[in-house]
Amino acid sequence: MKFGKTPDEIENERKRTLVFAFSAIGTLLLCIFGVVSLTQGRVVLFYVLFLFIAIVLAVSFVIKKTPHIRPASLFLSSTLLCLTWYLLLSGGADGSGVYWTYSLSMLMVILAGPKVGSIYMGLYLLVSLVFILGPFSFVYNYSNAEVTRIIASSVALYVLILTSELIRIGSYDAISEASENHRHLANTDPLTGLLNRSGIMVALKKGTLKKSAIMAILDIDEFKSVNDSYGHDFGDLVLVRLSRVLTDNVKGGDLTVRWGGEEFLLVFYDISMDSSKMLMNKIKDEFEKIVFNRNDTTLSVTFSAGLAIFDDISTFDATIKLADERLYHAKNTGRNKIIADDELHAVTMKEAQA
Ligand SMILES: Nc1nc2c(ncn2[C@@H]2O[C@H](COP(=O)(O)OP(=O)(O)OP(=O)(O)O)[C@@H](O)[C@H]2O)c(=O)[nH]1
């Protein structure tokens, strides 16, 4: 089953697209205001606007190149906060600089996120109030009614945008959780909790094969007669116990897979063929020692396994085929054994790939 991008990747892309869209629109508007300011003789305003255009373009370039857009987004929001302060306090063109405050409400939620955005907005309103109401000659002279309107409308706009963003985040989280659950179910065997066939492909594609690995395919011996004699539920119990023994014996990065029915597949990383054969024999002995009780009788169950070197994901099918051949060799020569005939590897691998 194909799931495409993860929720985190989708969210990251959404933020990246938003930053680009706002940068493009913001740059265009600032360009127009800058040129108008210049024609009206407001040279300082012209330089300030073009300085911010340069910063916005530089940050957009960085965001395009980096996979982690959070630091760049925070830098961009801090920069826009400073621009808004400048426009509000200086008045921009005849007091119209205050209108930029409204876009800041939206940009803070989108670029900085609800939490940091709220801190920035609170800081913005507090500092702005102190300067507007204080005895500072360089601050544009707003009337009391204008100050009240600026603060009230900024807060109202920010609260509305914040509420809609929090509702969006709530629904997005619920959808993401459902999607992650489906992804997990699609890649996991429900009985044992191990990876299933599609799960191993996802795991292999995620982590490229470092060095070489060893693949083992194991199959429970005479499992049909276990099922026939003691019932399918008991057979399930045996499968679950074997999966526990396997997971208890592998390292963190190794893969443990229910390949199908009573067959399991293991991928051991950073280990030699000799060591993995020893490990498989240890697992085999541990499993054989488990005493299962059923209907006043006790029994022990065994498995056989075939091992093969797994060099590269492109040789996955050929490696399985080779490990399978060794497994069936183990079955045909008495069962309850591990076969890892490495000398045959080169020759048989060639045949398997042919
Ligand atoms: N209980 C249980 N049995 C299963 C499950 N999946 C497959 N089986 C059984 O596994 C058995 C496999 O039997 P065979 O393929 O004949 O192999 P075997 O009896 O183990 O014989 P060898 O492999 O030659 O040692 C069948 O009886 C299947 O029904 C499962 O999920 N639960």
Side-chain angles (χ1 to χ4, degrees):
M1 196 182 292
K2 278 205 169 138
F3 279 91
K5 291 180 180 165
T6 63
D8 279 352
E9 287 166 343
I10 293 170
E11 185 61 4
N12 212 37
E13 276 315 303
R14 188 191 72 87
K15 281 194 183 141
R16 199 187 297 272
T17 310
L18 274 173
V19 172
F20 288 146
F22 279 100
S23 299
I25 296 167
T27 308
L28 184 68
L29 291 176
L30 290 178
C31 268
I32 295 169
F33 296 148
V35 172
V36 172
S37 304
L38 190 65
T39 56
Q40 292 175 345
R42 299 174 211 276
V43 181
V44 178
L45 186 57
F46 168 80
Y47 282 126
V48 169
L49 293 178
F50 273 85
L51 172 70
F52 278 95
I53 290 174
I55 294 173
V56 169
L57 289 178
V59 174
S60 304
F61 181 75
V62 171
I63 285 177
K64 195 168 192 289
K65 295 280 168 203
T66 174
H68 308 291
I69 65 167
R70 181 85 182 137
S73 296
L74 285 178
F75 176 75
L76 195 57
S77 19
S78 316
T79 311
L80 291 168
L81 191 68
C82 295
L83 174 64
T84 314
W85 262 322
Y86 172 79
L87 292 173
L88 175 76
L89 300 180
S90 70
D94 300 326
S96 62
V98 67
Y99 297 127
W100 186 256
T101 301
Y102 303 128
S103 44
L104 184 75
S105 299
M106 180 175 282
L107 291 170
M108 284 304 116
V109 174
I110 288 162
L111 293 177
K115 276 187 203 151
V116 181
S118 298
I119 296 171
Y120 279 9
M121 260 329 260
L123 189 73
Y124 168 76
L125 291 171
L126 196 73
V127 173
S128 303
L129 264 181
V130 168
F131 276 95
I132 291 174
L133 299 178
F136 300 101
S137 56
F138 60 88
V139 175
Y140 185 82
N141 193 15
Y142 295 101
S143 69
N144 282 348
E146 276 174 327
V147 173
T148 314
R149 280 179 202 137
I150 291 167
I151 301 299
S153 52
S154 299
V155 171
L157 189 61
Y158 184 71
V159 169
L160 282 176
I161 296 169
L162 181 67
T163 309
S164 98
E165 179 67 359
L166 289 176
I167 292 170
R168 188 197 69 80
I169 290 175
S171 357
Y172 184 80
D173 285 350
I175 295 168
S176 301
E177 199 184 324
S179 156
E180 280 305 300
N181 283 342
H182 282 119
R183 190 186 290 269
H184 179 74
L185 287 176
N187 293 328
T188 310
D189 169 52
L191 179 68
T192 60
L194 301 181
L195 292 175
N196 59 17
R197 280 185 184 231
S198 92
I200 187 182
M201 296 322 290
V202 173
L204 285 174
K205 276 174 196 156
K206 250 191 220 162
T208 42
L209 272 182
K210 335 122 201 174
K211 298 186 184 168
S212 82
I214 302 293
M215 181 189 285
I217 292 204
L218 61 92
D219 183 291
I220 300 178
D221 297 324
E222 315 276 16
F223 194 53
K224 186 174 181 326
S225 67
V226 172
N227 267 332
D228 291 349
S229 313
Y230 302 97
H232 209 266
D233 286 353
F234 181 76
D236 282 356
L237 183 87
V238 173
L239 292 170
V240 172
R241 288 301 298 274
L242 175 56
S243 71
R244 296 288 166 275
V245 175
L246 296 177
T247 44
D248 286 350
N249 278 281
V250 298
K251 285 185 299 186
D254 294 344
L255 303 177
T256 314
V257 183
R258 182 162 178 216
W259 190 238
E262 82 292 18
E263 268 197 332
F264 292 79
L265 186 149
L266 299 166
V267 177
F268 302 115
Y269 289 106
D270 297 332
I271 190 172
S272 68
M273 180 56 102
D274 283 348
S275 307
S276 46
K277 190 173 179 187
M278 272 164 57
L279 175 60
M280 281 305 293
N281 274 303
K282 176 179 170 277
I283 294 173
K284 187 174 78 62
D285 293 345
E286 204 174 301
F287 181 61
E288 194 177 356
K289 278 189 197 133
I290 297 175
V291 179
F292 293 97
N293 293 299
R294 187 71 164 195
N295 306 337
D296 296 331
T297 52
T298 59
L299 84 150
S300 64
V301 187
T302 61
F303 66 76
S304 304
L307 272 61
I309 294 175
F310 182 28
D311 298 311
D312 189 89
I313 191 164
S314 63
T315 63
F316 182 73
D317 290 340
T319 310
I320 290 208
K321 202 170 170 196
L322 181 57
D324 238 2
E325 280 166 13
R326 289 171 182 173
L327 163 65
Y328 283 98
H329 188 49
K331 291 272 182 185
N332 292 333
T333 54
R335 297 187 173 83
N336 191 16
K337 59 169 81 164
I338 312 293
I339 293 196
D341 195 355
D342 207 28
E343 291 102 67
L344 287 175
H345 178 254
V347 181
T348 329
M349 186 66 125
K350 250 189 185 167
E351 288 171 5
Q353 276 176 313

